Amino acid sequence: MKVYMDNGATTRVTEPVFAAMQPYFCEIYGNPSSVHGYGRQTRRAVEAAREQVARAIGAQPREIYFTGCGTEADNWALRGAAWANAKKGRHIITTNIEHHAILHTLKQLEKEGFEVTYLPVDSDGLVTPEQLEAAIRQDTILVTIMYANNEIGTLEPIEALAAVAKRRGVLFHTDAVQAIGHVPIDVKAQQIDMLSLSGHKFHAP
Ligand SMILES: *Cc1c(COP(=O)(O)O)cnc(C)c1O
């Protein structure tokens, strides 16, 4: 018997998920942007999915954007927030244990003229709100700290970290790809401005 133990890398699509998707391949396949009946049918399905995702994290449906994967979500959030706020400042804060989807994007932003502070973590992989507070400067525009680490499972104190960013008027993004489905998340209560998640890490394709 084989036992799959790499669920942090990707997960199996479960039967209910597969069943829910099946009609949209060969039966209901209109372009959701089309105005005819075929399109309206798929549009309804997309909007229902948007509502489900929103409900799972305490967001409004209009705040949900579908991307191709978690890497694309991280990329888009960081690059979008950085360039949209570049006139206010060019300083970004993160930790040195982020996923490469974050670290490689920040390396590219450094080449484009942004400055990044990489906060160190303790032996348990934790970063503290005090560390974040001390690193925020006049020109800090964005903080990105992962919710759960993909290698050692550390859960960062996201609510307290986001509260610091909010108090100092800085956007707060979290890569929650490893947290969704494992811990309750409420972006409103936790003051999270932007959050990335990825279906294939919790039994979607
Ligand atoms: C898997 C993972 C990603 C990337 O998600 P993909 O959907 O595979 O692109 C980003 N961040 C973390 C923490 C991950 O575990």
Side-chain angles (χ1 to χ4, degrees), residues 24 42 45 56 66 77 99 106 108 121 128-129 156 171-172 183 200:
Y24 300 99
T42 42
F66 293 113
H99 189 274
L106 293 176
Q108 177 59 31
V121 299
T128 66
E156 301 298 342
L171 276 175
F172 188 84
V183 291
H200 81 96

Side-chain angles (χ1 to χ4, degrees), residues 78 134 147 166:
L78 299 189
Y147 207 119
K166 179 72 38 173

Side-chain angles (χ1 to χ4, degrees), residues 25-160:
F25 290 95
C26 303
E27 294 157 49
I28 310 169
Y29 49 81
N31 183 327
S33 299
S34 298
V35 294
H36 50 61
Y38 290 93
R40 286 199 304 272
Q41 221 177 347
T42 42
R43 168 56 68 106
R44 273 196 298 276
V46 170
E47 294 312 323
R50 200 188 307 281
E51 278 168 31
Q52 282 182 312
V53 175
R55 216 178 307 128
I57 61 169
Q60 296 296 319
R62 63 181 165 75
E63 297 173 315
I64 304 299
Y65 297 88
F66 293 113
T67 60
C69 60
T71 301
E72 190 188 333
D74 281 341
N75 243 274
W76 192 49
L78 299 189
R79 296 184 61 78
W83 280 109
N85 292 282
K87 284 208 177 68
K88 278 193 251 165
R90 293 193 166 217
H91 181 233
I92 300 168
I93 301 172
T94 189
T95 73
N96 58 13
I97 59 161
E98 300 295 311
H99 189 274
H100 280 151
I102 296 286
L103 293 176
H104 288 174
T105 304
L106 293 176
K107 282 282 169 257
Q108 177 59 31
L109 283 169
E110 284 178 313
K111 286 186 196 155
E112 294 171 17
F114 290 85
E115 195 187 329
V116 181
T117 296
Y118 299 87
L119 299 175
V121 299
D122 71 10
S123 57
D124 290 322
L126 280 167
V127 65
T128 66
E130 291 73 24
Q131 277 176 282
L132 175 59
E133 182 90 59
I136 293 179
R137 317 188 310 211
Q138 207 56 253
D139 61 341
T140 307
I141 50 167
L142 173 66
V143 173
T144 176
I145 296 179
M146 71 194 328
Y147 207 119
N149 182 266
N150 50 299
E151 291 186 4
I152 60 173
T154 306
L155 287 168
E156 301 298 342
I158 289 301
E159 196 163 335

